[in-house]
């Protein structure tokens, strides 16, 4: 999906300027936004890939005008409505108006530490051996889906070298849309700066991405 989230290589947004000694949260409400999002995910109605795609689907003007946790809360509202837990009227009113969908589970305070420690592992076994090995030359596919993908625009139709086979993991492009986990092998692929950024690129620069197997073709 070529949305406002995919800014790699885009001009006009200024330099990346990391904040020195940046705090985990810049305001108290951000803590609550994180807690609500994690609690919403624990309901068991959607997965992390659907959640990510929902954020990507926020209209560009709204997305680019929102802070990090504003994006999270706006996407959470969409997910809760999509899966029948709340209505738009309830969100506007700020309170329950009718019974919604029954969650598969809920996250109580005493469960939080264990849930965070467990995380959300997405490594899965696959029946076939990896198609590529370290040192293989590959080229990324040139495609522009309207659905979710983890292959960034700047790295499409580019030639690079496989640096490592990372294992097999859930394929987010399918998982985000209810088509199953369909795990694939994932590779670290390295590109030189000129291949990614073209003429004028820093010759000492290289860019690496983690790419699912179906993103790659042999060279």
């Amino acid at each position: 999906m070529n949305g406002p989230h995919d800014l790699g290589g885009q001009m006009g947004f200024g330099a990346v300027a990391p904040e020195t000694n940046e705090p985990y949260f810049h305001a108290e409400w951000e803590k609550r936004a994180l807690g609500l999002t994690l609690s919403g995910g624990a309901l068991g109605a959607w997965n992390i890939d659907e959640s990510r795609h929902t954020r990507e689907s926020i209209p560009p003007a709204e997305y680019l005008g929102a802070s990090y946790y504003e994006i999270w809360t706006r996407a959470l509202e969409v997910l809760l409505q999509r899966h029948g837990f709340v209505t738009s009227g309830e969100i506007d009113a700020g309170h329950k108006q009718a019974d919604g969908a029954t969650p598969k589970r809920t996250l109580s305070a005493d469960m939080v530490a264990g849930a965070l420690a467990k995380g959300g592992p997405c490594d899965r076994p696959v029946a076939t051996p990896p198609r590529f090995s370290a040192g293989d030359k590959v080229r990324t596919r040139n495609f522009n889906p309207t659905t979710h993908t983890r292959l960034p625009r700047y790295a499409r139709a580019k030639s690079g070298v496989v640096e490592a086979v990372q294992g097999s993991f859930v394929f987010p492009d399918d998982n985000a849309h209810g088509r199953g986990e369909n795990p694939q092998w994932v590779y670290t692929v390295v590109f030189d700066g000129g291949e990614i950024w073209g003429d004028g690129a820093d010759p000492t620069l290289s860019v690496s991405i983690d790419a699912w197997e179906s993103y790659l073709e042999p060279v």
Side-chain angles (χ1 to χ4, degrees):
M1 181 177 188
N2 298 337
H5 64 289
D6 197 351
L7 293 179
Q10 301 301 301
M11 296 180 177
F13 289 92
V16 176
E19 184 178 340
T20 303
N21 299 319
E22 183 177 9
Y24 290 117
F25 303 99
H26 292 81
E28 285 297 309
W29 71 267
E30 293 184 340
K31 299 178 182 179
R32 192 168 183 83
L34 173 61
L36 287 169
T37 300
L38 295 177
S39 297
L43 298 175
W46 58 83
N47 57 57
I48 189 173
D49 298 309
E50 182 182 354
S51 180
R52 182 177 285 115
H53 178 64
T54 304
R55 294 173 204 157
E56 296 169 357
S57 300
I58 295 172
E62 294 180 26
Y63 187 100
L64 296 174
S67 69
Y68 182 78
Y69 282 110
E70 284 178 316
I71 291 170
W72 280 39
T73 55
R74 292 181 187 186
L76 180 60
E77 290 181 357
V78 173
L79 290 164
L80 289 170
Q81 291 179 71
R82 179 185 298 164
H83 292 277
F85 293 107
V86 300
T87 65
S88 59
E90 288 175 319
I91 290 176
D92 292 339
H95 58 80
K96 176 181 175 180
Q97 296 176 335
D99 290 335
T102 301
K104 295 179 180 178
R105 54 186 175 271
T106 56
L107 189 66
S108 58
D110 62 301
M111 298 167 59
V112 171
L116 291 177
K118 181 180 178 182
C122 58
D123 53 315
R124 302 288 189 273
V126 295
T128 56
R131 184 181 182 189
F132 304 106
S133 302
D136 286 352
K137 294 181 179 180
V138 294
R139 186 172 180 83
T140 54
R141 292 174 55 204
N142 185 12
F143 69 117
N144 295 279
T146 57
T147 50
H148 182 61
T149 184
R150 297 302 300 276
L151 181 61
R153 275 178 293 186
Y154 69 80
R156 296 176 194 164
K158 304 296 183 181
S159 295
V161 177
V162 173
E163 181 178 72
V165 182
Q166 296 294 356
S168 51
F169 297 86
V170 172
F171 185 46
D173 302 40
D174 285 343
N175 199 42
H177 303 286
R179 297 194 292 262
E181 293 188 337
N182 303 327
Q184 297 182 11
W185 291 100
V186 173
Y187 308 85
T188 297
V189 181
V190 180
F191 310 87
D192 65 44
E195 179 69 9
I196 294 292
W197 307 123
D199 294 344
D202 182 344
T204 67
L205 177 70
S206 64
V207 177
S208 64
I209 67 169
D210 286 336
W212 273 259
E213 191 167 85
S214 61
Y215 296 165
L216 304 174
E217 301 169 343
V219 173

